[in-house]
């Protein structure tokens, strides 16, 4: 399975888009806006107008025309298709390829699913088939946002060919998969690029000299400092970043068979971890990227947050950190495409509670409250000092007053 954004420019073409030669601004009309009086969930990201910030993340929920059409019909703000490459014949998936982690001990069958692992590769369908389905979707849903996810080998000509062919299908933007944690690292694909900033800079250069639609670089969490590749991608011309993709993991060992899960003919391989359990990790990674973007970039670059979103409150947390959009993949696999209605309702409930009328009213509002541990210590020491000063009461007998005598007395009582 393949697995957030600072303030987008309200103009159709961001300064970054104008700065990049050949990059066209993209603007798409939104679906019907929120009814009068209701919190408005619509967002504009890199010139793309979406009815809400909820995006189908690249993976099984965007694997073919039928499921992507269902996503649009249910009301998702945008759809990112499953990652494609030029030669699908090299992509061979196995079954089973998923494993679950449940909250109850010993993996009780009825326990709540908190973790999900996959060893699935990118799309195994012929590129031309996928492109024809993109064209059909854009024909039927011209006002909806369809984003192509692409990944290719370390070959400039191959990247340019793939970009040209995918753009010709009518997609509104591209998400570059620099983060798939398993599958084809020997071909310098996926996380093999996202973990090597030198390689990433070179490949982003190839991509951005060819692409004419907005480009999002999808970041891997399997790295010490996620801000480093995010900075490289933005510096190289990408209009946005997405984070996080799945976390490299071993789901577990079957204590009856003594074999790892998911088990394929008695064997397994490490894969990508997602679902609710990764949400706190994703929040930290997104926070770090958002702080970097706020400090270093102000040209309307965007951030699309991913990781363990199953409720509107989960999404609100990402937006409070600065995300423009919120992607959901595993959540759809567990709860279905109708999940978007619950997400929208719960996010609007949160907005009403705080009197927010739009996403921009609270995007990034929690970001300033992150600091260093040293600063926390200093803040607490100062707060304790001030509290002690208040509790100390009167400094001299001359400070007593008749009107406030009782309160002044209480201010010097220790218990």
């Amino acid at each position: 399975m393949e697995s957030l954004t600072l303030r987008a420019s309200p103009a159709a073409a961001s300064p970054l888009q104008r700065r990049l030669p050949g990059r066209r601004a993209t603007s798409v009309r939104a679906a019907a806006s929120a009814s009068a009086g209701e919190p408005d969930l619509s967002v504009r990201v890199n010139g793309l107008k979406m009815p809400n910030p909820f995006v189908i993340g690249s993976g099984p929920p965007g694997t073919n025309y039928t499921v992507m059409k269902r996503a649009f019909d249910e009301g998702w703000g945008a759809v990112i298709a499953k990652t494609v490459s030029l030669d699908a014949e090299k992509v061979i998936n196995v079954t089973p390829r998923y494993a679950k982690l449940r909250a109850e001990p010993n993996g009780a069958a009825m326990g709540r699913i908190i973790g999900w692992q996959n060893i699935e590769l990118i799309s195994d369908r012929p590129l031309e088939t996928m492109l024809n389905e993109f064209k059909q979707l854009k024909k039927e849903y011209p006002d909806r946002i369809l984003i192509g996810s692409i990944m290719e080998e370390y070959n400039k000509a191959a990247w340019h060919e793939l970009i040209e062919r995918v753009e010709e299908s009518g997609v509104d933007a591209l998400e570059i998969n620099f983060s798939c944690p398993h599958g084809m690292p020997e071909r310098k694909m996926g996380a093999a690029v996202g973990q090597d900033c030198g390689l990433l800079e070179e490949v982003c250069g190839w991509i951005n000299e060819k692409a004419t639609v907005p480009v999002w670089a999808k970041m891997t969490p399997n790295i010490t400092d996620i801000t480093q590749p995010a900075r490289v991608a933005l510096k190289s011309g990408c209009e946005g970043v997405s984070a996080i993709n799945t976390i490299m993991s071993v789901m577990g060992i079957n204590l009856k068979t003594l074999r790892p899960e998911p088990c394929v003919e008695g064997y397994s391989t490490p894969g990508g971890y997602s679902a609710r359990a990764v949400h706190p990790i994703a929040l930290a990674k997104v926070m770090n990227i958002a702080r970097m973007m706020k400090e270093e970039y102000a040209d309307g670059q965007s951030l699309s947050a991913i990781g363990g979103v199953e409720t509107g409150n989960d999404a609100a947390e990402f937006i409070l950190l600065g995300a423009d959009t919120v992607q959901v993949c595993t959540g759809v696999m567990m709860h279905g495409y109708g999940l978007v209605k619950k997400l929208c309702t719960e996010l609007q409930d949160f907005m009403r509670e705080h009197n927010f009328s739009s996403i921009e009213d609270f995007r990034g509002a929690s970001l300033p409250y992150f600091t260093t541990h040293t600063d926390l210590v200093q803040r607490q020491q100062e707060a304790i000092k001030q509290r002690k000063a208040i509790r100390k009461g009167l400094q001299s007998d001359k400070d007593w007053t008749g009107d406030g005598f009782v309160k002044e007395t209480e201010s010097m009582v220790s218990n």
Side-chain angles (χ1 to χ4, degrees), residues 214-226:
V215 173
W216 296 356
K218 191 170 186 177
M219 299 287 100
T220 175
N222 303 300
I223 192 168
T224 303
D225 182 0
I226 198 170

Side-chain angles (χ1 to χ4, degrees), residues 379-413:
R379 287 174 180 273
Q380 187 158 71
Q381 289 175 340
E382 181 61 30
I384 291 172
K385 182 179 178 181
Q386 292 177 3
R387 286 196 292 269
K388 285 182 176 179
I390 294 172
R391 296 289 293 180
K392 194 174 294 183
L394 305 181
Q395 302 298 309
S396 172
D397 284 349
K398 67 180 177 60
D399 296 328
W400 288 94
T401 68
D403 292 337
F405 192 83
V406 174
K407 289 184 179 179
E408 290 161 359
T409 300
E410 285 295 325
S411 73
M412 292 181 285
V413 175

Side-chain angles (χ1 to χ4, degrees), residues 298-319:
D299 288 339
Q301 292 90 338
S302 65
L303 178 59
S304 187
I306 316 162
V309 173
E310 296 182 34
T311 70
N313 287 342
D314 295 334
E317 290 180 306
F318 277 132
I319 297 169

Side-chain angles (χ1 to χ4, degrees), residues 209-284:
E209 71 181 31
K210 182 66 175 179
T212 64
V213 297
V215 173
W216 296 356
K218 191 170 186 177
M219 299 287 100
T220 175
N222 303 300
I223 192 168
T224 303
D225 182 0
I226 198 170
T227 66
Q228 293 185 11
R231 181 182 292 109
V232 167
L234 295 171
K235 182 180 178 181
S236 300
C238 295
E239 278 83 359
V241 293
S242 307
I244 59 174
N245 207 323
T246 53
I247 301 170
M248 182 65 86
S249 65
V250 171
M251 180 54 78
I253 306 297
N254 186 312
L255 297 183
K256 293 182 179 179
T257 66
L258 312 185
R259 300 300 178 95
E261 301 286 358
C263 192
V264 180
E265 310 303 333
Y267 293 81
S268 192
T269 188
Y273 192 51
S274 60
R276 181 66 186 171
V278 311
H279 187 64
I281 300 171
L283 286 172

Side-chain angles (χ1 to χ4, degrees), residues 24-281:
R24 68 173 172 86
T26 306
S27 181
V28 179
R29 293 197 311 276
S33 60
S35 59
E38 287 294 302
D40 183 8
L41 295 181
S42 66
V43 295
R44 181 179 293 277
V45 185
N46 304 130
L48 306 174
K49 187 72 181 294
M50 305 177 191
N52 60 67
F54 297 110
V55 178
I56 291 287
S58 182
T63 198
N64 61 44
Y65 165 83
T66 300
V67 297
M68 288 187 281
K69 174 180 170 62
R70 177 65 180 274
F72 283 138
D73 289 341
E74 291 287 352
W76 288 85
V79 173
I80 303 177
K82 193 173 186 184
T83 302
V84 297
S85 63
L86 290 176
D87 188 359
E89 291 184 359
K90 297 179 181 179
V91 181
I92 303 175
N93 278 301
V94 295
T95 300
R97 51 182 176 265
Y98 308 136
K100 303 173 183 177
L101 180 67
R102 298 184 183 272
E104 276 65 21
N106 303 318
M110 299 305 293
R112 180 189 175 193
I113 299 170
I114 59 172
W116 185 288
Q117 190 208 38
N118 82 91
I119 54 173
E120 184 162 312
L121 304 180
I122 63 175
S123 177
D124 57 9
R125 306 178 70 218
L127 176 61
E128 199 58 38
T129 299
M130 290 290 284
L131 298 182
N132 287 335
E133 294 183 356
F134 294 169
K135 293 176 183 177
Q136 185 63 31
L137 285 164
K138 289 304 299 181
K139 180 179 179 180
E140 296 180 21
Y141 301 89
D143 295 335
R144 305 303 292 278
I145 303 302
L146 177 63
I147 300 173
S149 174
I150 61 175
M151 184 166 79
E152 194 44 69
E153 297 186 30
Y154 180 66
N155 182 299
K156 181 177 181 179
W159 274 106
H160 281 194
E161 180 185 350
L162 181 60
I163 290 168
E164 182 174 357
R165 293 178 65 182
V166 174
E167 283 194 0
E168 286 177 349
S169 71
V171 298
D172 301 290
L174 296 172
E175 183 179 78
I176 315 301
N177 188 338
F178 290 133
S179 48
C180 185
H182 53 270
M184 295 169 282
E186 68 282 357
R187 292 165 58 189
K188 292 187 178 180
M189 299 177 75
V193 179
Q195 292 169 331
D196 184 331
C197 286
L199 196 60
L200 178 66
E201 183 175 19
E202 183 177 19
V203 176
C204 280
W206 298 344
I207 292 167
N208 286 299
E209 71 181 31
K210 182 66 175 179
T212 64
V213 297
V215 173
W216 296 356
K218 191 170 186 177
M219 299 287 100
T220 175
N222 303 300
I223 192 168
T224 303
D225 182 0
I226 198 170
T227 66
Q228 293 185 11
R231 181 182 292 109
V232 167
L234 295 171
K235 182 180 178 181
S236 300
C238 295
E239 278 83 359
V241 293
S242 307
I244 59 174
N245 207 323
T246 53
I247 301 170
M248 182 65 86
S249 65
V250 171
M251 180 54 78
I253 306 297
N254 186 312
L255 297 183
K256 293 182 179 179
T257 66
L258 312 185
R259 300 300 178 95
E261 301 286 358
C263 192
V264 180
E265 310 303 333
Y267 293 81
S268 192
T269 188
Y273 192 51
S274 60
R276 181 66 186 171
V278 311
H279 187 64
I281 300 171

